[in-house]
Amino acid sequence: VLPRPRLIHTDRLLRLTAVAVGVAHGWAGLVLLSERRIRNKMIRTLVEALATGLAAWVVSFVVVAEMVLLGWV
């Protein structure tokens, strides 16, 4: 039994870490699938670049949103 569930569910560092791990997992999975399924090297590189850009955007969006919630911006 967790002693402080409210603290765990509202911790910003834990939330940021969970988002970062989830985004990294999704990015790595998409890159792995593109390596296995897409034969054309140019299209595969484009898919990987788009996945990288999307992952970076999501992480930066979440970080900025947390900064706004904290009142740092």
Side-chain angles (χ1 to χ4, degrees):
V1 177
L2 297 173
R4 298 182 186 156
R6 183 179 296 156
L7 179 65
I8 291 172
H9 283 37
T10 58
D11 184 51
R12 285 187 171 93
L13 181 60
L14 184 60
R15 190 167 46 239
L16 286 174
T17 303
V19 168
V21 168
V23 169
H25 179 78
W27 172 80
L30 189 58
V31 168
L32 182 65
L33 280 174
S34 69
E35 289 289 332
R36 289 183 177 179
R37 302 288 180 175
I38 301 174
R39 301 286 181 220
N40 188 331
K41 187 176 181 178
M42 183 183 294
I43 295 174
R44 184 173 57 232
T45 304
L46 178 64
V47 167
E48 291 174 5
L50 288 172
T52 303
L54 180 64
W57 182 81
V58 168
V59 169
S60 63
F61 178 80
V62 170
V63 168
V64 169
E66 289 293 330
M67 289 173 66
V68 168
L69 286 174
L70 286 173
W72 292 353
V73 176

